[in-house]
Amino acid sequence: MSQQDYKYSLIAPDSTEFPEEAFLFQVDSDHPMNLFAVFEVKRDAYREWNRRTSLRKTKLYSIIVAVTLMSVVMASYILTGGKKGILLNPSSFQYGTLTENADTVASHEEESSYVSNLSAVQNYANIKLVIKTIASKIEFATRRLPDFKELVKSEPHMFSVIPREFLENIKNPCWFEEYKANSTADPYGTNLYALYSKRFRTLFDYLRNAFRDHLYQKENKLCRFRCLPYFYIIGQPKCGTTDLYDRLRLHPEVRFATSKEPHWWTRKRFGIIRLSEGFHDRYPVEDYLDLFDLAAFQIQDQAHGNATTQYKHNIAIGEASASTMWDNNAWIYFYDNSTNGEPPFLIQDFIHAVQPDAKFIVMLRDPVERLYSDYLYFGIANKSADDFHEKVTESLQLFESCLLEFSMRSCVYNTTLNNAMPVRLQVGLYIVYILDWLSVFNRNQILVLRLEDHATNRKYTMHKVFNFLSLGSLTEQKEAEITKSPASNTRRPADKNLGPMLPVTREILQDFYKPFNVKLADVLQNDSFLWEKSAKLI
């Protein structure tokens, strides 16, 4: 391991483990074990030093302290190879103004530039080797598919609620569910979506007023009408799914869930709202089904001759959680029978088990541009092209370390690795996810689009979607409203001001994603997914 592979940082100590006034100096390397050293600043010694009245001794101690600090800073700089800068936080104290002549400043800048350029060359060479190692480990092995009994055993409640067969002559998977609660009880009183969202509470207030009018007497039982989505927009993040959703929801035959992204299949059913917050109560499948009640009421009205528009007989319910295609991070906490570190079940296994005829829409973009857009959108502070470059190189090294021990699928779905990588490299490995979805669904059930095509010709892509979902024709006015409205969820002005990524970062990422894009283009039989001439999108 070279010296430049180390990173230094100051960490506030846990007061239960370290004495007061102690600071933790952490040395991180590519190895799983971290080395720690503790520097203690004792108040008594500091006060004793302050009580000294000798000016000569004060100057002497000042010089010693200054030399010591300079040594630590230079050691930090040398060991990091100059590539990450000095990571020690500057003091909050204000010092007197220091002046240097122009020649001295120029000399310092020249030396700094030389060291930085030298380390950049070394870093680039190292990363190229990392990418070469990753490429040598790429494999697209067939996954083991779980059988139906295994799925039912892992999620018995969900399979007890959703029937194996649905009502005929209805586009969506719908059924009548016996309503066992008291007719005066609040049907949405325990819904966890309402608990954590004011917007949902407002919606459920509306649904309560219509709920009892839609209870149905069937075979001497009081029933409610339930539906699952007819189609899902499943990914990927920062690939235009919001814009597609906003346009598609304008079609008079389309009804989406009350929230664009319920994230039930990937997160909420495991009790995950944000991974950083730990686990909450698991959202039962009934809470998820409640989100489609508004559309279910409309379908039910049509079935009983109460429809108010000509479009109700062909309503297509949709759901647009952009995590559905790729996010299986929860599996490691709930499924312990993994095979060689691979998840025993994936999201698509469960969806296929309950609705094998579902349709899916995937919007993709150049994975290099996707990653930078993802970084800008989800980054919190200190965003810059240089910072992005550092995070990319760190993530590549982590991914390489995983591949040296585990399979490609294991690393892509490795929750610990995904949480550790500073940027979400794995989300751009589209072919890994596409192949796993094709292991359970037919190719004609998945429509794959490119954001670049959508940005240049929205009418074309929207018509492909309309045909895929078997939606009715539109008036010219409605079609213009859908296809000509401004794009949704574009890059924020503050992020635009940061400019593009560094050319060297782009080259590194293009090399990394290239073999995955080649396989994707081959599977989809479309060379545009090579992104060799990718359009620059805002």
Side-chain angles (χ1 to χ4, degrees), residues 111-165:
E111 291 176 8
S112 176
S113 176
Y114 172 77
V115 173
S116 178
N117 291 337
L118 180 61
S119 71
V121 172
Q122 294 172 339
N123 181 50
Y124 179 74
N126 290 338
I127 291 301
K128 295 288 281 189
L129 290 176
V130 167
I131 293 174
K132 185 176 181 180
T133 301
I134 292 173
S136 69
K137 297 292 183 179
I138 294 177
E139 59 174 347
F140 301 103
T142 303
R143 62 182 288 255
R144 171 195 171 275
L145 298 180
D147 61 38
F148 183 77
K149 290 182 179 179
E150 291 178 291
L151 296 171
V152 173
K153 184 179 179 180
S154 67
E155 292 282 356
H157 179 70
M158 179 180 72
F159 286 99
S160 70
V161 172
I162 301 176
R164 296 296 303 275
E165 296 182 356

Side-chain angles (χ1 to χ4, degrees), residues 386-400:
D386 288 330
D387 181 66
F388 177 65
H389 180 82
E390 290 184 11
K391 286 179 166 55
V392 165
T393 56
E394 291 175 19
S395 298
L396 286 169
Q397 290 167 352
L398 287 169
F399 195 69
E400 177 204 28

Side-chain angles (χ1 to χ4, degrees), residues 12 90 98 104 130 170 175 221 232 270 322 379 399 408 478 481:
L98 300 177
T104 303
V130 167
I170 295 179
W175 67 98
K221 295 179 180 179
Y232 298 81
F270 299 106
F399 195 69
M408 174 63 66
K478 175 57 72 172
E481 179 186 355

Side-chain angles (χ1 to χ4, degrees), residues 242-261:
T242 298
D243 187 74
L244 178 62
Y245 163 83
D246 284 340
R247 296 179 193 282
L248 192 51
R249 66 201 291 260
L250 296 176
H251 195 290
E253 293 181 12
V254 173
R255 299 290 183 275
F256 275 100
T258 53
S259 169
K260 172 185 178 285
E261 298 188 287

Side-chain angles (χ1 to χ4, degrees), residues 114 163 215 295 384 448:
Y114 172 77
L215 288 176
S384 69
V448 184

